[in-house]
Amino acid sequence: MAGALKSLLILGRWCPGLGVAPQARSLAAVVPGVTQIDNKSDFLQKRPHRQHPGILNLPHVRLPQALANGAQLLLLENAGPTMENQVQTLTSYLWSRHLPVEPEELQRRARHFEKKFLENPDLCQTEEKLRGAVLHALRKTTYHWQELSYTEGLSLVYMAARLDGGFAAVSRAFHEIRARNPAFQPQTLMDFGSGTGSVTWAANSIWGQSLREYMCVDKSTAMLALAEKLLKGGSESGEPYIPGVFFRQFLPVSPKVQFDVVVSAFSLSELPSRADRTEVVQTLWRKTGHFLVLVENGTKAGHRLLMEARDLVLKGKEKSPLDPRPSFVFAPCPHELPCPQLTTSRPLACSFSQAYHPIPFRWNKKPKEEKFSMVILARGSPEEANRWPRITQPVLRRPRHVHCHLCCPDGHMQHAVITARRHGRDLYRCARVSSWGDLLPVLTPSAFPPSTAQDPSES
C-alpha cells in the first residue's frame, strides 16, 4: 500500500494554477454514472458535507485511562532492558507471518521435487537419498509456520506490542456498527482468542451502557491472567473496572448459547490449518446472534484469511434450526460477491488504517497507525445493509477534482475522478471530505463503462 500511495502521489505534482490536468479530465469521463447523489431520504438532513452519513473514520483512538494506567504499571514492574527489542521483534514477526502450508500443498511440492530429482541422472537415486533430498528441498522452500505459546513473559511482550493497536482496530470496527446502526444495543459479547482483553475494553467504550456479559475465551492461562490483571488496574486484587467479564479456555459447548456480538481479533491466524479455521468460524457463526466481527493484520495473508471465513459463512449450506436467519456482509464489502481485490492482475489486501495513541512508555512517544483488515458479518437480509460504495484507498484531493478508489455494489473496483462540474457540487464536496474506509453516498449503476485511461496508482 505504501508503494501504491507513493506512485499515486506523483499525480499531485501539478502546479495549482494550471487547473485540472488533461489526464484527470479524461478520467472524469470514466464514471458518468456517478452523478446521482443518494438523497432520496434527504441524507444530509441539513448537516454540512463534512458530516455526511458515509463518514466512518475515527480521530486518534486513545486507550481508556484505567487500561493505559494498568498496562503502564505492569511494564514498569516487569519490563527489562531488552523489552523494547523484544517488542520490535514480535511486531515484525506477527506482521510478516504467513498462513501455514496445508498438507495437500506440501504433498504436491514433495511430488514436484521427487520428479525433478529423478530426472537428474547425476544424482544417486537410492530411496533413502531421494527422500533426504526432497525433505531438504522442502525445508528450504516452504514457510515454517509455528504456533506461538504465550507464556507469562511472552504475554507481557505481546501486551506491550499489540494492546494499543489491537484496541484501535477493534474500536474502528465497533464504531462502524454503532454509526450505521445506532439502535443496536448489545447485551452479550464473546471474544475468541481474547488475549489481553482489548476487545472487552473497546466494546465497553462503545456499548458500556447496555453490555452486561463479556465472555473472554483464550487457551493461554497466562493471557487470561494478564487480561484479568489489566481489568483490575494492573494488580491481582481489587475490583475490576468492567463488571460482568468472564474468562474461560474453551468455547461454550451448548448450541443454544448465542451472543449479540462475537469477535475474533487477530486469532484466526493463530490456528494451524484450514480445517481448524473452518471449524472455529462455523462455531463462531452459530454463536452469533447479530454481528460476527473478524479482524486480522492488513496484509495479503490476513485479507485472504478473512475472505476464506467470509465465503465459508455466506456459502454455508447448513442452517441451524435454532437460528435459520441468513447471513450477509455488513462491512466493509457493499456486496456478497467475490472480492474484486483478489481478482486483479496485482492482488491487493483490502485494508484500513486507524490512528491511535500508544501505551505511554519510554519507547512510545508518537502517535501510530494500525493497518488492519476486517469483515463484519450479520444475520438478516442484505437489504438491511447500506449499499453505498466503499473507499478502499487514501483519497487524493487535487485542484478541482478528487480521486476515489471504490468497491461498488456490483462487485467491481472503480477508480472515480470526481469533479463538481461533471458530477455535481454535492457529490464533489462529499468526496473531498471523505477518507479511506468511508462510504461514498452515491447511487451507482449496475456497471460502469470500461476505462481506457491509466489509473495513477499503476503509474
Side-chain angles (χ1 to χ4, degrees):
M1 184 63 69
L5 179 57
K6 183 177 179 181
S7 55
L8 279 171
L9 291 175
I10 298 173
L11 191 66
R13 296 174 184 169
W14 298 319
C15 296
L18 295 180
V20 182
Q23 186 186 32
R25 294 195 191 99
S26 64
L27 284 172
V30 172
V31 285
V34 187
T35 56
Q36 183 183 359
I37 197 75
D38 188 355
N39 59 0
K40 56 187 177 183
S41 58
D42 186 23
F43 79 97
L44 281 174
Q45 297 179 349
K46 297 182 179 180
R47 290 177 295 183
H49 293 85
R50 65 179 177 274
Q51 296 177 9
H52 75 75
I55 289 183
L56 298 165
N57 62 82
L58 279 172
H60 281 74
V61 171
R62 192 183 297 272
L63 291 174
Q65 194 59 52
L67 177 58
N69 291 344
Q72 192 175 30
L73 178 62
L74 287 171
L75 287 174
L76 287 171
E77 291 177 347
N78 300 284
T82 62
M83 175 63 80
E84 183 177 0
N85 290 334
Q86 291 177 337
V87 167
Q88 292 175 351
T89 300
L90 180 61
T91 300
S92 300
Y93 174 74
L94 292 174
W95 184 255
S96 62
R97 211 175 186 198
H98 298 280
L99 296 181
V101 178
E102 295 298 318
E104 300 80 7
E105 173 63 16
L106 204 58
Q107 292 175 0
R108 187 193 66 80
R109 295 183 187 183
R111 288 194 295 269
H112 168 75
F113 285 122
E114 184 178 14
K115 181 180 178 182
K116 182 178 178 181
F117 293 143
L118 287 173
E119 291 173 350
N120 190 338
D122 297 330
L123 295 177
C124 182
Q125 302 301 332
T126 66
E127 184 176 347
E128 183 178 352
K129 288 189 175 181
L130 179 62
R131 183 164 54 249
V134 169
L135 289 174
H136 179 70
L138 286 174
R139 291 192 187 101
K140 288 181 62 177
T141 59
T142 303
Y143 176 74
H144 183 52
W145 187 90
Q146 285 184 304
E147 184 176 2
L148 288 174
S149 178
Y150 284 99
T151 60
E152 184 176 346
L154 186 57
S155 296
L156 189 71
V157 175
Y158 185 88
M159 181 200 75
R162 297 294 304 133
L163 174 65
D164 39 23
F167 177 87
V170 175
S171 294
R172 169 62 182 80
F174 289 165
H175 170 71
E176 171 131 357
I177 297 175
R178 183 179 65 173
R180 293 173 53 190
N181 191 353
F184 177 62
Q185 295 293 319
Q187 296 188 36
T188 58
L189 175 142
M190 185 180 75
D191 179 16
F192 171 75
S194 54
T196 57
S198 57
V199 168
T200 291
W201 289 88
N204 182 260
S205 298
I206 299 289
W207 297 300
Q209 296 298 317
S210 64
L211 279 170
R212 56 178 176 79
E213 180 184 343
Y214 308 77
M215 180 68 70
C216 297
V217 180
D218 199 298
K219 69 177 183 179
S220 168
T221 55
M223 275 290 196
L224 294 176
L226 178 59
E228 191 168 8
K229 281 184 182 179
L230 288 170
L231 277 175
K232 297 177 180 179
S235 69
E236 295 183 357
S237 60
E239 290 296 318
Y241 281 92
I242 302 175
V245 181
F246 303 93
F247 299 95
R248 58 187 302 164
Q249 285 186 275
F250 305 101
L251 287 166
V253 176
S254 173
K256 297 181 180 180
V257 176
Q258 278 194 325
F259 300 83
D260 295 329
V261 180
V262 175
V263 185
S264 171
F266 310 101
S267 299
L268 295 180
S269 53
E270 296 291 333
L271 299 175
S273 70
R274 182 183 289 113
D276 291 291
R277 295 194 299 271
T278 297
E279 181 180 356
V280 165
V281 169
Q282 289 175 337
T283 300
L284 295 181
W285 180 243
R286 286 195 296 269
K287 301 295 182 189
T288 300
H290 290 90
F291 290 102
L292 173 60
V293 180
L294 306 176
V295 180
E296 291 292 338
N297 285 337
T299 60
K300 290 182 180 179
H303 177 224
R304 286 198 302 271
L305 189 154
L306 291 181
M307 291 302 97
E308 173 188 287
R310 171 188 184 269
D311 292 344
L312 182 66
V313 172
L314 292 178
K315 297 175 182 178
K317 301 300 181 184
E318 75 290 340
K319 299 297 180 183
S320 170
L322 298 175
D323 195 339
R325 291 174 296 166
S327 59
F328 69 94
V329 181
F330 183 83
C333 325
H335 56 79
E336 278 72 42
L337 299 167
C339 177
Q341 294 276 56
L342 298 179
T343 58
T344 61
S345 57
R346 294 190 298 176
L348 297 172
C350 179
S351 61
F352 304 97
S353 181
Q354 177 59 53
Y356 68 94
H357 294 281
I359 299 172
F361 210 64
R362 59 177 180 264
W363 61 77
N364 285 332
K365 296 182 179 180
K366 295 180 180 180
K368 297 182 179 180
E369 295 277 338
E370 175 73 6
K371 185 180 175 185
F372 65 97
S373 294
M374 69 173 181
V375 167
I376 303 177
L377 298 159
R379 289 196 182 274
S381 169
E383 286 73 27
E384 300 172 24
N386 193 324
R387 293 313 196 187
W388 287 339
R390 175 82 59 173
I391 300 173
T392 61
Q393 293 184 27
V395 174
L396 295 181
R397 302 167 183 87
R398 298 294 177 256
R400 295 190 287 278
H401 67 283
V402 183
H403 290 264
C404 293
H405 289 76
L406 306 172
C407 181
C408 299
D410 63 1
H412 291 88
M413 297 295 299
Q414 295 298 333
H415 170 218
V417 179
I418 301 172
T419 68
R421 181 174 65 84
R422 184 176 293 273
H423 302 106
R425 174 177 171 273
D426 279 338
L427 177 57
Y428 171 70
R429 292 190 65 182
C430 284
R432 198 161 188 88
V433 299
S434 297
S435 302
W436 181 13
D438 288 342
L439 298 171
L440 195 61
V442 60
L443 296 176
T444 58
S446 59
F448 289 145
S451 169
T452 57
Q454 184 182 13
D455 188 325
S457 65
E458 298 177 357
S459 61

